[in-house]
């Protein structure tokens, strides 16, 4: 069987929309509802965040969603159960993204196996060092799990190439030197960085994430990368809404169509 | 050299650099240059001159006669409380600011718990004319108010951290976030032997002046450099790392780390990491960490803001695992009583962090022959409100 992420990114003609949200937020059992609504609204890929008590790479929005999700009782074990259930209802690729410690406590090998078994297609573990991952690479490959690493504007070309070589599925291009959070537009320096990445002709496609919040930033990201990842602005939208489905529908529409 | 950091930044099973890519270039720049810079003669001269003329080193090794009588041993106090700004923290901030200057950084950020590291950072920034911002948990800002104002007088912006328990861990999270957002012009002066490699090693090197001096002073005092015991409190572990460093390979010197038990190790309100922690990853390194079975970090508790941290530096995790250092703990009450005891017997009001180290004296099986060095990491001025509030004196 082919990996769903690789399949999606090799077949699609148009840029992909990947949405990040925190598992178990706003309510513990919303993880599945959100996935279904996102697929119905036209998202191509979902990244489900494993909540952590100390999310150092995140801005206030995602910090708050992590805290709420933990207060709701979310854990790695419960999330894997939820993913196994939602896997039978959505077709798009599912990625789990999270800080290392909860995964380490669950046990790396056990986590990789259980995630693959639950139907997870890819992983993003931002604080997993490249050289620590080496020992698990054979296992994730045999489980058909893609593992995407991050690059940032200050990552050197040599290191971008190293990260590209070890990543599978796609490379996660962080749009700015920043924590997560919605921003209005990209600067000329950011555009130059996207162009630089394009010129590298990497083995993997790259998706651009962090700071994407509206049609302008979304379409700019899509003009340079294979697609865009939105997180904070989506989480803001669903945390304030009474009707999840309608809010998600409207969010995807507003992101992907110009006014 | 069993206790030295290896080429990958590990002490045995602990250490490393578990950081998101946004921090990688910063940390890597530091990793590639720190040893080379620290070893330059010009750096060493500037560092040593400042330690001598500005910090007031060497700090005295004081024979505490009445305390010795009480514990029926020979107790010496290493008087880090007499350092400029009132604690050992400045040994590290002097070193790091000189390093930051050589790396071409213009701005400094730091986290602080008790405010001692914040004050020590604000001080060296004033000294070097650098812009400084210190993150401090909102709760800590309340319980260490004098230090907040000291930082402000020194021209530093103090930013309250309002997440979590609003203590040291949360201030560290905020400082790391700030660094992610300002990667090129800013150096992050971490205040203890924690964080991603090379921080634990670098901070240990800057603090190792403590044991370097103890060795010389004991030799002059008693004719030999090695005591039977070295005792130090452990929050992140920087004063302990400094006091232990030159004794690590002197296996007959008993090294004792004292953690904060808070209301008691099993009370649910504690910061005794070696008793309660398991290996995990926080703030960039793999170390012992107080956490739930799901890997969520447990909010620690101690009356002492400087010991109120859920982890310890990776060096200490290794020293614990190998058994090289014996870890004991002292409760809030034991520490407060020990603080008052030191005030009454020696006329020294210690920082509450350091009072934990004094409290350990009654837990050791000492003989009248034993030479014990207690690292008195700081003075109690900042803690007056806590002493007053505690009231039992
Ligand atoms: C006087 C004093 N001692 C000890 C500590 C604990 O830090 P460490 O364990 O790094 O020495 C602090 C921290 O603020 C302090 O102010």
């Amino acid at each position: 069987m082919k990996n769903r992420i690789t399949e999606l990114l090799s077949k699609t003609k148009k840029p992909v929309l990947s949405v990040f949200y925190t598992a178990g937020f706003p309510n513990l059992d919303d993880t599945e509802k959100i996935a279904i609504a996102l697929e119905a609204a036209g998202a191509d890929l979902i990244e489900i965040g494993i909540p952590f008590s100390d999310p150092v790479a995140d801005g206030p929005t995602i910090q708050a969603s992590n805290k709420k999700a933990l207060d709701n009782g979310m854990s790695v074990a419960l999330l894997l159960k939820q993913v196994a259930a939602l896997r039978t209802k959505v077709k798009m690729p599912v990625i789990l993204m999270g800080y290392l410690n909860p995964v380490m406590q669950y046990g790396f090998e056990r986590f990789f196996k259980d995630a693959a078994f639950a139907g997870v297609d890819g992983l993003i573990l931002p604080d997993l060092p490249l050289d620590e991952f080496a020992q698990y690479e054979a296992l994730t490959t045999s489980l058909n799990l893609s593992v995407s690493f991050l690059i940032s504007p200050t990552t050197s070309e040599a290191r971008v190439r190293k990260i590209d070589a070890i990543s599978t599925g796609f490379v996660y291009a962080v749009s700015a030197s920043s924590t997560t959070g919605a921003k209005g537009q990209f600067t000329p320096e950011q555009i130059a960085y996207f162009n630089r990445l394009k010129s590298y002709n990497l083995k993997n496609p790259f998706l651009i994430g962090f700071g994407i919040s509206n049609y302008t930033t979304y379409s700019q990201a899509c003009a340079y990368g294979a697609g865009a990842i939105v997180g904070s602005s989506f989480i803001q939208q669903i945390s304030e809404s009474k009707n999840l489905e309608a809010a998600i529908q409207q969010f995807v529409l507003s992101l992907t169509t110009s006014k | 050299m069993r206790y030295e950091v290896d080429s990958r930044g590990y002490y045995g099973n602990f250490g490393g650099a578990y950081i998101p890519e946004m921090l990688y270039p910063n940390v890597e720049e530091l990793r590639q240059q720190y040893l080379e810079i620290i070893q330059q003669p010009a750096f060493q001269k500037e560092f040593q001159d400042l330690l001598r003329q500005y910090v007031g080193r060497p700090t005295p090794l004081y024979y505490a006669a009445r305390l010795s009588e009480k514990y029926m041993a020979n107790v010496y106090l290493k008087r880090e409380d007499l350092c400029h700004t009132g604690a050992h923290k400045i040994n590290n901030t002097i070193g790091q600011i000189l390093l930051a200057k050589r790396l071409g950084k213009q701005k400094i950020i730091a986290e602080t718990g008790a405010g001692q590291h914040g004050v020590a950072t604000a001080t060296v920034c004033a000294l070097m004319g650098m812009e400084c911002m210190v993150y401090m948990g909102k709760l800590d800002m309340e319980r260490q108010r004098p230090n907040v104002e000291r930082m402000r007088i020194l021209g530093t912006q103090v930013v309250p951290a309002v997440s979590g328990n609003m203590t040291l861990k949360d201030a560290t999270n905020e400082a790391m976030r700030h660094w992610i957002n300002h990667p090129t012009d800013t150096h992050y002066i971490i205040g203890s032997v924690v964080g991603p490699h090379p921080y634990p090693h670098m901070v240990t090197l800057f603090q190792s002046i403590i044991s370097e001096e103890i060795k010389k002073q004991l030799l002059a005092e008693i004719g030999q450099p090695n005591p039977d015991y070295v005792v130090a409190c452990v929050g992140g572990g920087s004063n302990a790392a400094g006091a232990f460093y030159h004794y690590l390979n002197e296996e007959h010197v008993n090294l004792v780390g004292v953690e904060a038990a808070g209301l008691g190790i099993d009370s649910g309100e504690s910061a005794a990491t070696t008793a309660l922690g398991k290996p995990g990853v926080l703030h960039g390194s793999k170390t012992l960490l107080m956490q739930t079975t799901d890997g969520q970090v447990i909010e620690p508790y101690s009356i002492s803001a400087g010991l109120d941290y859920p982890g310890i530096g990776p060096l200490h995790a290794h020293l614990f695992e190998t058994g090289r250092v014996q870890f004991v703990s002292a409760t809030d009450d034991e520490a407060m009583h020990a603080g008052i005891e030191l005030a009454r017997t020696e006329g020294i009001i210690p920082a509450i962090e350091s009072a934990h180290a004094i409290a350990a004296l009654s837990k050791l099986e000492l003989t009248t022959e034993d030479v014990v060095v207690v690292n008195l990491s700081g003075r109690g001025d900042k803690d007056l409100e806590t002493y007053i509030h505690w009231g039992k004196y």
Side-chain angles (χ1 to χ4, degrees):
Chain A
M1 201 181 83
K2 265 196 112 174
N3 179 285
R4 286 190 191 86
I5 300 166
T6 314
E7 188 110 330
L8 169 73
L9 290 169
S10 61
K11 279 199 183 137
T12 184
K13 298 276 182 304
K14 67 176 187 56
V16 301
L17 167 60
S18 178
V19 178
F20 170 91
Y21 64 97
T22 304
F25 174 86
N27 300 296
L28 191 59
D29 54 5
D30 284 339
T31 317
E32 175 176 310
K33 275 186 224 161
I34 293 170
I36 293 170
L38 275 170
E39 187 162 73
D44 302 297
L45 190 70
I46 51 173
E47 294 172 18
I48 306 179
I50 304 167
F52 182 48
S53 53
D54 294 86
V56 291
D58 286 298
T61 304
I62 296 179
Q63 286 173 42
S65 68
N66 275 250
K67 179 163 191 334
K68 180 82 194 305
L70 291 174
D71 290 346
N72 288 343
M74 185 44 71
S75 66
V76 172
L78 178 58
L79 175 56
L80 290 172
K81 276 192 203 139
Q82 290 184 344
V83 171
L86 73 82
R87 182 75 276 178
T88 62
K89 295 167 196 165
V90 300
K91 293 196 180 59
M92 64 183 162
V94 174
I95 293 173
L96 296 186
M97 178 164 181
Y99 292 89
L100 208 57
N101 198 51
V103 171
M104 184 185 277
Q105 301 313 314
Y106 190 86
F108 284 111
E109 291 183 8
R110 177 174 166 228
F111 176 76
F112 295 139
K113 286 179 187 158
D114 290 359
F117 190 70
V120 169
D121 306 289
L123 300 171
I124 307 171
L125 301 167
D127 52 358
L128 173 63
L130 299 184
D131 59 346
E132 296 291 334
F133 172 64
Q135 60 190 304
Y136 303 114
E137 198 174 357
L139 178 63
T140 54
T141 306
S142 75
L143 292 167
N144 203 17
L145 280 172
S146 82
V147 182
S148 299
F149 286 88
L150 272 53
I151 52 180
S152 92
T154 51
T155 308
S156 68
E157 176 176 352
R159 188 164 162 87
V160 170
R161 296 201 180 281
K162 187 173 170 191
I163 289 171
D164 180 44
I166 200 168
S167 293
T168 43
F170 63 93
V171 165
Y172 191 133
V174 174
S175 71
S177 298
S178 78
T179 43
T180 56
K183 306 221 171 51
Q185 58 185 52
F186 290 129
T187 62
E189 290 77 29
Q190 286 174 289
I191 301 293
Y193 155 62
F194 301 153
N195 271 320
R196 185 160 58 85
L197 285 183
K198 254 182 110 158
S199 76
Y200 291 163
N201 288 315
L202 301 177
K203 157 192 114 175
N204 289 290
F206 64 91
L207 299 185
I208 297 174
F210 283 41
I212 292 167
S213 62
N214 52 23
Y215 177 73
T216 312
T217 42
Y218 173 74
S219 51
Q220 274 181 318
C222 288
Y224 298 92
I229 304 165
V230 278
S232 295
S233 66
F234 176 76
I235 289 171
Q236 250 157 26
Q237 176 93 0
I238 61 170
S239 57
E240 286 155 14
S241 83
K242 293 270 176 304
N243 181 339
L244 263 186
E245 283 80 4
I248 290 171
Q249 190 81 38
Q250 200 211 330
F251 178 84
V252 173
L253 207 64
S254 73
L255 200 64
T256 52
T257 49
S258 67
K259 293 227 174 71
Chain B
M1 299 304 266
R2 280 175 66 203
Y3 308 112
E4 271 300 338
V5 74
D6 69 18
S7 60
R8 295 167 55 241
Y10 279 80
Y11 295 95
N13 295 317
F14 302 103
Y18 293 79
I19 45 172
E21 183 61 25
M22 294 80 85
L23 282 179
Y24 183 85
N26 281 350
V27 172
E28 181 61 12
E29 176 187 35
L30 197 60
R31 188 189 69 80
Q32 285 181 0
Q33 300 193 43
Y34 81 111
L35 281 180
E36 196 191 310
I37 292 176
I38 292 172
Q39 285 159 4
Q40 286 165 2
F43 179 97
Q44 276 303 322
K45 176 162 183 356
E46 203 178 347
F47 181 54
Q48 299 298 343
D49 284 353
L50 282 170
L51 288 184
R52 190 164 42 85
Q53 300 175 345
Y54 187 72
V55 176
R57 303 205 73 91
T59 57
L61 183 71
Y62 164 68
Y63 180 71
R66 296 190 64 210
L67 204 64
S68 294
E69 203 173 307
K70 175 144 197 228
Y71 289 102
M72 295 190 292
N74 302 292
V75 181
Y76 288 83
L77 302 176
K78 179 58 176 165
R79 298 292 308 274
E80 292 300 299
D81 61 317
L82 294 178
C83 288
H84 177 43
T85 71
H88 69 290
K89 296 283 181 186
I90 197 161
N91 303 328
N92 169 42
T93 61
I94 296 257
Q96 284 203 49
I97 197 123
L98 295 179
L99 192 66
K101 273 195 353 189
R102 282 162 173 79
L103 291 171
K105 305 289 177 176
Q106 290 107 45
K107 295 180 183 168
I108 297 295
I109 54 165
E111 84 298 335
T112 195
Q116 285 305 120
H117 174 60
V119 168
T121 305
T123 298
V124 297
C125 286
L127 182 67
M128 299 290 164
M130 281 170 75
E131 201 178 302
C132 180
M133 204 169 178
V134 172
Y135 287 90
M136 187 169 189
K138 194 159 162 285
L139 175 70
D140 290 340
M141 287 180 71
E142 285 156 18
R143 61 179 166 172
Q144 310 275 217
R145 217 157 21 125
N147 272 346
V148 175
E149 297 312 322
R150 286 168 83 195
M151 285 186 268
R152 288 182 176 147
I153 289 169
L154 290 161
T156 280
Q157 187 189 348
V158 184
V159 186
V162 295
S163 54
N165 258 17
M166 301 188 265
T167 62
L168 181 54
K169 165 175 86 77
D170 314 294
T172 308
N173 290 342
E174 290 302 333
M176 289 202 154
R177 288 181 186 122
H178 182 103
W179 207 24
I180 288 174
N181 283 285
H182 303 85
T184 45
D185 62 350
T186 302
H187 175 70
Y188 177 17
I189 300 191
I190 294 185
S192 192
V193 288
V194 301
H197 177 67
Y199 277 101
H201 186 228
M202 180 173 69
V203 178
T204 299
L205 290 180
F206 290 142
Q207 292 293 0
S208 67
I209 184 77
I210 300 174
S211 48
E212 192 182 315
E213 287 176 5
I214 297 173
K215 278 198 152 180
K216 284 186 201 150
Q217 290 167 322
L218 270 186
L219 184 64
E221 199 71 22
I222 61 169
Q224 62 135 322
N226 296 348
D228 298 292
Y229 290 87
V230 179
V231 183
C233 68
V234 177
S238 66
N239 86 87
F244 295 165
Y245 186 75
H246 289 286
Y247 292 114
L248 289 173
N249 291 312
E250 313 273 5
E251 301 273 349
H252 52 280
V253 177
N254 297 294
L255 304 176
V256 182
V258 189
E259 294 183 305
L263 300 183
I265 286 187
D266 301 318
S267 67
E269 299 290 336
S270 177
T273 303
T274 59
L276 299 167
K278 285 181 307 208
V281 168
L282 182 70
H283 297 149
S285 64
K286 186 173 175 189
T287 189
L288 289 172
L289 188 61
M290 290 169 53
Q291 54 182 315
T292 66
T293 49
D294 290 335
Q296 306 301 336
V297 180
I298 290 175
E299 299 288 352
Y301 163 79
S302 165
I303 193 167
S304 146
L307 304 183
D308 202 350
Y309 185 73
I312 49 172
L315 166 63
H316 291 291
H318 179 57
L319 295 173
F320 173 72
E321 196 176 71
T322 55
R324 176 66 189 95
V325 171
Q326 175 193 357
F327 282 84
V328 300
S329 67
T331 63
D332 285 2
D333 258 6
E334 289 169 337
M336 296 306 289
H337 281 293
I340 301 298
E341 174 189 83
L342 189 68
R344 298 285 162 90
T345 53
E346 299 291 346
I348 298 169
I349 304 175
I352 295 170
E353 291 78 14
S354 324
H356 283 72
I358 301 289
L361 285 173
S362 65
K363 301 174 191 243
L364 303 176
E365 283 167 23
L366 302 175
T367 69
T368 50
E369 305 293 302
D370 283 336
V371 173
V372 183
V373 175
V374 179
N375 195 37
L376 202 69
S377 57
R379 68 178 87 128
D381 305 23
K382 69 183 177 62
D383 294 315
L384 276 192
E385 248 173 275
T386 310
Y387 276 113
I388 294 165
H389 189 254
W390 185 70
K392 294 172 209 156
Y393 54 85

